[in-house]
Amino acid sequence: MAGATADRICERCSGRGYRVLKLKGRAATARRCECQETCTHCRGSGYVLVPAGASAVAQPCACRHLDERIGLFNAACVPATVARATFDSYKPHHPDQSAAKAAAEDFSKKFRLDRETHGILFYGPPGTGKTHLLAAVVRYLALEKGVACRYVELMLLLSDIRNGIAANRGYVDILRPLTQAPVLVIDELGKERGTDWERSMLDELISRRYNGGLTTLFATNYYREPRKLPSAEGGMVNTRRPDWGRDAEAMTLRERVGDRVFSRISEMCEFRRVEGEDFRPSVIDAWDG
Ligand SMILES: [Zn+2]
Ligand SMILES: [Zn+2]
């Protein structure tokens, strides 16, 4: 085990060998735990000698995998706000949340690069921990399994594309790392304004991933099904087909992202509703693992 010495496991990293830092305003950053600063097997050289018949041959030390995985996590761009999100630090308050956590964990453990895997789309009200689960998936895949992932918040991505185009970069170049990443996580789907241009960018990204058979996960506050919301006069009102922009909160996901993108996502993902109490207070004290 990475952080295990002869007879005891490092308390700082629980034997994982890495720790994740939460730096304000920056993406989550992993680094080697202090217990791994100098590898006891290769003393930092990256190679170990293993016996081969009468002599010995040099082989890459296992600690090199650790650096590769740390590099993958750092390239994934998980937001600092959920830097320390893990499956263990997700504390469900509602059966939906328990089921969502189990689904995310199961997905992560079963994910394999050599076969097509359905993603998950988490939907439900803000504050139920959907972002936490997405971040925990990325962390597990990158740091525990060595899978390259990317995390994007859709509004920020769209603004990066706009800035890139203004600086004479083509949108295809900007999207390339996202269209090619083995696992892509898209947070805040539907929060964009929904202009034709925004829809065409989202369509481009989703279509390329769909055609490539690549796994994508999403989180959104928009529901698959029309729902009833409290009306101003009291009582519940059916919100089917509200006007664009007027009752944006009550729109369905299909109305927000358009038929084409919605239908692709439906084929690429299992939909999972996450209702529940506000989740955020329970994770404030979550300690880095
Ligand atoms: Zn350690
Ligand atoms: Zn080593």
Side-chain angles (χ1 to χ4, degrees):
M1 190 185 292
T5 52
D7 53 3
R8 66 189 189 91
I9 288 173
C10 170
E11 283 173 17
R12 290 197 189 90
C13 66
S14 310
R16 292 186 186 92
Y18 59 81
R19 299 176 77 195
V20 176
L21 307 174
K22 184 175 185 168
L23 302 170
K24 207 167 176 228
R26 282 183 44 193
T29 309
R31 63 163 168 74
R32 279 186 180 226
C33 177
E34 285 84 344
C35 72
Q36 295 292 305
E37 227 104 76
T38 309
C39 172
T40 50
H41 300 291
C42 68
R43 297 179 197 285
S45 71
Y47 289 92
V48 283
L49 290 174
V50 289
S55 60
V57 290
Q59 276 191 357
C61 178
C63 72
R64 292 185 14 155
H65 292 296
L66 179 61
D67 288 336
E68 278 167 27
R69 290 171 179 209
I70 286 172
L72 289 174
F73 180 78
N74 293 344
C77 302
V78 172
T81 48
V82 281
R84 289 169 179 168
T86 62
F87 296 124
D88 285 346
S89 65
Y90 185 88
K91 305 289 182 219
H93 300 298
H94 186 282
D96 275 2
Q97 291 174 321
S98 307
K101 174 185 170 178
E105 211 166 351
D106 189 57
F107 162 86
S108 305
K109 291 192 171 147
K110 289 185 179 155
F111 180 84
R112 279 172 45 176
L113 278 171
D114 61 357
R115 65 171 182 228
E116 278 193 33
T117 311
H118 260 68
I120 308 175
L121 179 143
F122 296 107
Y123 70 99
T128 50
K130 299 182 295 298
T131 297
H132 182 121
L133 287 176
L134 292 183
V137 166
V138 170
R139 179 180 177 135
Y140 187 90
L141 289 180
L143 286 167
E144 300 295 330
K145 292 182 86 164
V147 175
C149 304
R150 278 299 303 266
Y151 181 111
V152 288
E153 205 180 287
L154 188 54
M155 295 264 277
L156 294 179
L157 169 64
L158 291 168
S159 121
D160 283 351
I161 300 174
R162 259 185 227 105
N163 294 339
I165 290 173
N168 280 327
R169 284 183 69 201
Y171 69 86
V172 176
D173 275 355
I174 302 167
L175 284 180
R176 188 167 292 120
L178 306 179
T179 55
Q180 294 177 349
V183 175
L184 175 68
V185 160
I186 301 181
D187 200 2
E188 299 283 15
L189 177 68
K191 203 176 174 186
E192 68 281 5
R193 283 177 302 151
T195 62
D196 289 347
W197 180 82
E198 287 179 341
R199 280 195 177 181
S200 70
M201 287 300 123
L202 181 61
D203 184 41
E204 179 81 20
L205 176 58
I206 302 296
S207 298
R208 283 178 188 255
R209 295 196 62 82
Y210 175 87
N211 293 334
L214 295 169
T215 304
T216 313
L217 291 91
F218 300 86
T220 179
N221 297 333
Y222 292 91
Y223 282 55
R224 180 170 48 175
E225 61 277 358
R227 59 196 169 118
K228 292 184 173 180
L229 288 177
S231 77
E233 297 80 38
M236 302 296 271
V237 58
N238 192 330
T239 59
R240 191 178 293 274
R241 299 235 153 258
D243 292 338
W244 179 269
R246 193 165 59 89
D247 283 315
E249 190 200 340
M251 296 175 77
T252 62
L253 183 60
R254 180 192 288 275
E255 287 164 340
R256 287 303 293 183
V257 300
D259 286 340
R260 190 179 145 92
V261 165
F262 181 82
S263 120
R264 292 242 151 108
I265 293 175
S266 304
E267 281 186 58
M268 294 162 83
C269 289
E270 163 202 355
F271 280 58
R272 227 162 231 292
R273 186 161 151 170
V274 194
E275 297 284 349
E277 289 169 43
D278 199 308
F279 176 83
R280 281 164 284 198
S282 69
V283 293
I284 287 170
D285 296 328
W287 169 236
D288 176 26

